[in-house]
Amino acid sequence: MDFSGFGIAIGALAFLVLVLLIKGIRTIPQGYNYTVERFGRYTKTLSPGLNLIVPFVDRIGAKMNMMEQVLDVPSQEIITRDNAIVGVDGIAFFQILNAAQAAYQVSGLQNAILNLTMTNIRTVMGSMDLDELLSNRDAINERLLRVVDEAAHPWGIKITRVEIKDINPPANLIESMGRQMTAERNKRAQILAAEGLKQSQILEAEGRREAAFRDAEARERSAEAEAKATQVVSEAISKGDVQALNYFIAQKYTEALTRIGSATNSKIVLMPLEASSLIGTLGGIGEIAKEVFKDGGPAAATRQGSRPPVVKSGDN
């Protein structure tokens, strides 16, 4: 009888130990932290793995997800500084760093983060013009992240990222922006065309200037050559060589006849001499050239018909 009572006591003790182990041993999964409350008061935080608590005295309080979480920010209408109404939605990423603060410093953590993010979106984007909203999205995200993270820091969480997903202006505003963009592109095209015309005119003017400079240089060299030829003829005359003068006069005479005959506005050419005289003149020029460029004696050629109007000199 006593043995039976002892056995019952041993069995009851074993059962009690088993219950205490079940109640006192807690396995925490990876990525989570559990808070422990003793008589309703926070005492400690259980990390992932096998943990022991005091049975019937301690209990598990809040089970906090320590991994990075995503919070979808619903669309809301915002009035910009230039009184444009746009629809904006976004997304926020956060991570709990202190399980106790996240559990006991705020009630409804995700709802608090959501409202905080939406409020700061209205504040930040409402202080900007529409053009700034559309062109400075990175700056908006950076400013939102800094403001929201600073406000949520006492809750033991870290706001890792705040992103604006869509900015939706009204339909009439989109049409106005399209017309403005078209006008701006047309303006740029006109500016480019004007710049191209300006460069073309500059290059054309530089080309005319270069051509005029070269024409002037050519005329200068021609004048120098003419002056040199006149000087040579003058020196030959001063030395008593009249043949050089005859060649010079005959050359000018022939050039004058050539210009008269080749004029485009001339319909009738009045010659002050007969055709046979012109042939005789050309023959006389040929004889003069032979006498000038050869070392022979004076020319005595006599042509049929009239002779060119040259100045004759006496025999030396």
Side-chain angles (χ1 to χ4, degrees):
M1 188 70 178
D2 294 336
F3 179 76
S4 299
F6 179 76
I8 295 173
I10 293 298
L13 182 61
F15 178 76
L16 181 60
V17 171
L18 180 62
V19 172
L20 291 177
L21 289 177
I22 293 174
K23 291 292 185 179
I25 296 176
R26 288 291 184 267
T27 302
I28 311 303
Q30 183 66 37
Y32 285 83
N33 279 357
Y34 292 179
T35 62
V36 177
E37 298 176 356
R38 180 172 296 174
F39 303 114
R41 182 179 181 180
Y42 167 78
T43 57
K44 63 179 179 179
T45 301
L46 303 181
S47 58
L50 188 63
N51 295 269
L52 296 176
I53 62 174
V54 178
F56 306 107
V57 177
D58 295 339
R59 71 179 185 89
I60 299 299
K63 300 178 180 180
M64 307 305 297
N65 186 351
M66 307 300 291
M67 295 178 288
E68 188 172 6
Q69 302 177 60
V70 181
L71 185 62
D72 189 26
V73 180
S75 178
Q76 59 178 333
E77 288 188 348
I78 296 174
I79 302 177
T80 62
R81 186 170 57 185
D82 53 353
N83 297 324
I85 300 176
V86 296
V88 180
D89 60 356
I91 189 171
F93 297 81
F94 70 95
Q95 185 177 13
I96 298 175
L97 301 181
N98 191 311
Q101 290 181 347
Y104 302 111
Q105 292 292 332
V106 61
S107 176
L109 179 62
Q110 290 194 359
N111 186 49
I113 297 174
L114 178 61
N115 284 276
L116 179 64
T117 303
M118 294 180 66
T119 302
N120 281 278
I121 287 177
R122 287 195 297 269
T123 302
V124 172
M125 301 184 70
S127 63
M128 305 174 70
D129 295 332
L130 179 61
D131 292 338
E132 294 177 337
L133 295 183
L134 299 176
S135 59
N136 297 324
R137 186 170 298 190
D138 291 339
I140 295 173
N141 294 335
E142 181 181 356
R143 185 176 174 184
L144 284 173
L145 176 61
R146 183 177 66 253
V147 173
V148 177
D149 181 57
E150 183 179 355
H153 180 71
W155 302 340
I157 64 174
K158 171 67 177 177
I159 305 297
T160 57
R161 188 179 304 171
V162 177
E163 297 285 343
I164 298 299
K165 291 195 298 184
D166 293 321
I167 299 177
N168 301 315
N172 57 350
L173 189 58
I174 294 177
E175 294 178 0
S176 300
M177 292 170 61
R179 291 193 297 269
Q180 181 182 0
M181 181 179 61
T182 302
E184 185 67 23
R185 289 181 177 177
N186 292 335
K187 176 183 176 182
R188 293 179 181 178
Q190 292 175 359
I191 292 175
L192 291 177
E195 288 291 337
L197 180 60
K198 176 183 176 182
Q199 293 296 328
S200 175
Q201 292 176 351
I202 290 175
L203 293 177
E204 184 179 355
E206 290 180 353
R208 290 196 301 268
R209 184 181 66 178
E210 183 68 18
F213 175 77
R214 293 185 180 274
D215 290 342
E217 186 178 4
R219 288 194 300 270
E220 181 181 359
R221 292 183 179 179
S222 176
E224 290 178 356
E226 188 73 17
K228 184 67 175 177
T230 304
Q231 181 181 1
V232 171
V233 171
S234 300
E235 291 178 355
I237 293 174
S238 63
K239 293 179 182 179
D241 188 2
V242 187
Q243 296 297 331
L245 178 61
N246 293 336
Y247 174 76
F248 184 74
I249 295 174
Q251 181 183 11
K252 295 298 181 181
Y253 181 75
T254 305
E255 292 176 355
L257 292 180
T258 301
R259 288 194 296 271
I260 293 174
S262 61
T264 57
N265 58 350
S266 298
K267 302 300 181 180
I268 298 176
V269 179
L270 299 178
M271 303 294 293
L273 69 169
E274 298 178 354
S276 58
S277 299
L278 177 60
I279 297 175
T281 300
L282 295 176
I285 292 174
E287 294 297 332
I288 293 174
K290 290 180 181 179
E291 292 182 3
V292 172
F293 293 103
K294 290 185 179 180
D295 295 331
T302 304
R303 298 285 181 177
Q304 186 179 359
S306 60
R307 299 179 61 85
V310 297
V311 180
K312 294 183 177 290
S313 61
D315 294 338
N316 293 333

